[in-house]
Amino acid sequence: MSLRMTAPPPHGGRLEERVVRDPGLAKKLAKGCPVYDIKPTLNEKGVPVRNVYREIMSICYGFFSPVEGSMKEAEVERILKERRLLNDWIFPYPLVFDISEEDYKQLGVTAGDRVLLRLKGKPFAILDVEEVWRIKDTEALAHRVFGTPEANPEVVQEPFNAKHPGWVIYKSLNPVVLAGKYTIINEPKFRAPFDRFWLPPLKSREEYKKRGWNTVINHQTRNVPHVGHEHLMKNAAYTGDIEPCHGIQVNAIIGVKRKGDYPDESILEGHEATNLGNYIKPERHLVSFTLWDMRYGNPLESMLHGIIRQNMGCTHHMFGRDHAAVGEYYDMFATQTLWDKGIPSFGFEKSVCDVEYGLKIRPQNMREFWYCPVCQEIAYSESCGHTKQKEKFSGSFIRGMVGEGIFPPRVIFRPEVYKAVVKWWKVFDFPFCNQNYVVQQDKNLEVDLPDLDV
Amino acid sequence: MSKLFVVLLDDKRMNAIKGSGLEDKVEYMFGGNLKAFTMEMPDDKANLILSEFDTARIDTRSCITDTPLAFNRTLFEEIAKAKSLGPEVIDNTLARVAEIKDLAAKESDYLPAPEID
Ligand SMILES: [Zn+2]
């Protein structure tokens, strides 16, 4: 047996890259197609909760391999029943291109037709329609996506409702689904600072090779890192094969924000500051992102995170308690259970790494880090027994300190990281996402598109 | 069980309480790196705060957090004025709730960035 580990194969066996880079071919593919301008998904109050462009990007650049497009009805049904694609590979969420009845009437397409999708008024991608189907009841769909206490008693503690942002996304879908493969025909250009951190799976695998990284552990984030996060990353990375992981990758989920979140720009540059300040030296640390309007599906979200990072070439993935959770809909350990024993009601009698057509990335389930005044160090909750004296890193506590303009001590927030926060605070006149940020983000997105005359 | 409220202190605030006798109550957290008062909030006051400010919540350490920054600032002003950490300080702060809400409404959109090097 070999004790050494190397990058796992992509989920599904091969990386999808559905991007046409030849403008001549792009024009040919789009010629004469009916045109549809991508619109954000709005909740009942008209607030944007999702933009399908992010899904198209993540599918076409291979983050969600082996998914190739908007799903057919049978595929969505299979995902809801057993969290598997029609080709048997496990996958947590339905992904669909949904439009209103009025738009469908106007578009007038059917199976076999091709639609040119425009983003910000420019040609972006094509959708080859293989099936048109309808979501009969989006609320019922939303419940089935996330589970119910009756159907998923192992992990679902309370019924999902309009306070859950992921549930709201599915509830807000339009009724008509155009199912079929996406192909990007006009590559969007990321604005600064996103351009610096864009590392789709083919590129990330190349980058690991260039750096000589055989083992890479991923840290999922939607946060500016405090020192507790930094210690989680550094200590989780002690796993590996016969030595600690060569690389620590931070992959941020970039998508629709909620008020009070840190701006995406601060998150990316805050993590980068961790290596620019040499707290984790740049040779060992890599910051990147994935476009996705987070569904907050805790165990389901963790499965998607595993797929994304396995596709990127990571060997390991750290999972904490309450991973990608909001509220108390799921049991606190639901994610760790999925990766440890499996969740039968979601279709997994065993760990998602032990089932057929499952994942090859290794979970590293972690508890928490706190400051211990007795140990006089940042300690791991399962090592340090000074539970009475511990001082926890609380995200909301730190947000409060930042908001009050108090310069945080470096044992809580590295000064370089704090400076990245203040840099973007000056740009947005606010340290967190406010209404203005949310509106601007919806309008500008993360990209601009070059002209392409089709 | 009563709840807690942490009042963070920086150099400016330390100056404001100089000679008040409150210095003895300063707690040093995170290895002496962070200075603060920890106030006790009786349940009735805690519930009042939670009902006045819909962002406010109780965290895993039984601390009231996510109150408007204007509330935190006003609370400190009242502490410095009364030179006390007793419940009357909370009453004095809540007496200014209209003023706090006024400021809070603005701070959801704008906060001046601190000047740092
Ligand atoms: Zn200890």
Side-chain angles (χ1 to χ4, degrees), chain A residues 391 404 419 425 430 434, chain B residues 13 29-30 107 109 111 117:
Chain A
E391 295 173 74
E404 282 189 64
K419 282 174 188 170
W425 184 342
F430 204 68
N434 55 13
Chain B
R13 288 184 174 185
M29 301 183 288
F30 290 88
E107 79 191 17
D109 256 345
L111 280 172
D117 309 321

Side-chain angles (χ1 to χ4, degrees), chain B residues 13-25:
Chain B
R13 288 184 174 185
M14 287 298 283
N15 277 334
I17 57 157
K18 213 177 231 169
S20 67
L22 288 176
E23 286 107 318
D24 296 345
K25 302 209 167 133

Side-chain angles (χ1 to χ4, degrees), chain A residues 270-290:
Chain A
H271 275 281
E272 184 187 41
T274 305
N275 72 50
L276 295 178
N278 283 308
Y279 301 98
I280 305 175
K281 60 183 179 180
E283 294 81 2
R284 194 171 183 222
H285 190 249
L286 184 60
V287 183
S288 61
F289 69 92
T290 300

Side-chain angles (χ1 to χ4, degrees), chain A residues 381-419:
Chain A
S381 61
E382 305 311 291
S383 298
C384 166
H386 306 115
T387 44
K388 278 207 185 96
Q389 296 97 330
K390 71 180 182 222
E391 295 173 74
K392 293 191 14 159
F393 293 98
S394 145
S396 54
F397 175 69
I398 296 172
R399 266 200 306 280
M401 177 163 24
V402 168
E404 282 189 64
I406 290 168
F407 202 119
R410 70 164 56 231
V411 71
I412 291 181
F413 229 31
R414 302 304 190 187
E416 293 86 347
V417 174
Y418 180 64
K419 282 174 188 170

Side-chain angles (χ1 to χ4, degrees), chain A residues 107-359:
Chain A
L107 202 55
V109 293
T110 182
D113 289 336
R114 174 175 289 167
V115 182
L116 172 63
L117 305 177
R118 278 197 310 212
L119 185 64
K120 298 172 91 171
K122 304 272 180 73
F124 166 48
I126 50 172
L127 165 56
D128 285 302
V129 182
E130 292 169 38
E131 181 184 295
V132 179
W133 64 279
R134 280 175 174 73
I135 305 171
K136 277 132 215 130
D137 180 349
T138 56
E139 186 164 331
L141 171 72
H143 281 303
R144 291 181 71 200
V145 167
F146 294 98
T148 60
E150 296 75 36
N152 312 90
E154 315 100 307
V155 289
V156 179
Q157 302 182 144
E158 49 183 80
F160 283 76
N161 55 32
K163 283 193 170 158
H164 187 276
W167 188 90
V168 169
I169 289 178
Y170 282 98
K171 165 81 164 58
S172 309
L173 292 181
N174 286 299
V176 184
V177 175
L178 306 182
K181 292 175 186 167
Y182 300 123
T183 309
I184 290 176
I185 58 161
N186 188 26
E187 272 194 290
K189 301 279 171 265
F190 281 94
R191 280 194 316 280
F194 299 103
D195 51 355
R196 228 169 46 248
F197 303 103
W198 176 239
L199 207 66
L202 278 174
K203 284 261 162 23
S204 65
R205 285 173 176 261
E206 261 173 47
E207 181 66 24
Y208 302 169
K209 251 189 212 146
K210 208 166 78 193
R211 292 173 173 231
W213 290 0
N214 290 329
T215 46
V216 185
I217 189 164
N218 186 83
H219 174 66
Q220 152 64 26
T221 190
R222 283 179 42 84
N223 236 315
V224 173
H226 54 58
V227 176
H229 294 126
E230 182 193 311
H231 276 69
L232 169 67
M233 286 187 251
K234 292 199 279 208
N235 285 282
Y238 284 122
T239 191
D241 46 25
I242 62 167
E243 57 186 339
C245 282
H246 294 157
I248 298 172
Q249 167 171 282
V250 175
N251 191 245
I253 293 293
I254 300 293
V256 159
K257 306 299 286 189
R258 301 198 302 151
K259 279 195 223 168
D261 288 347
Y262 285 102
D264 289 328
E265 293 83 351
S266 312
I267 294 171
L268 289 168
E269 292 200 342
H271 275 281
E272 184 187 41
T274 305
N275 72 50
L276 295 178
N278 283 308
Y279 301 98
I280 305 175
K281 60 183 179 180
E283 294 81 2
R284 194 171 183 222
H285 190 249
L286 184 60
V287 183
S288 61
F289 69 92
T290 300
L291 291 175
W292 170 243
D293 298 313
M294 187 119 134
R295 307 297 201 259
Y296 297 91
N298 189 327
L300 299 168
E301 204 80 18
S302 81
M303 195 197 310
L304 184 71
H305 291 162
I307 291 168
I308 293 169
R309 283 67 191 240
Q310 181 178 325
N311 283 329
M312 294 183 82
C314 295
T315 48
H316 297 75
H317 198 299
M318 48 189 106
F319 293 112
R321 290 192 302 191
D322 276 334
H323 183 87
V326 61
E328 287 172 3
Y329 301 96
Y330 289 108
D331 173 76
M332 189 189 281
F333 291 104
T335 286
Q336 301 195 351
T337 304
L338 179 78
W339 290 83
D340 178 15
K341 305 194 276 271
I343 300 174
S345 68
F346 280 144
F348 305 109
E349 297 284 346
K350 291 184 278 193
S351 162
V352 283
C353 294
D354 292 329
V355 298
E356 275 206 277
Y357 300 99
L359 291 168

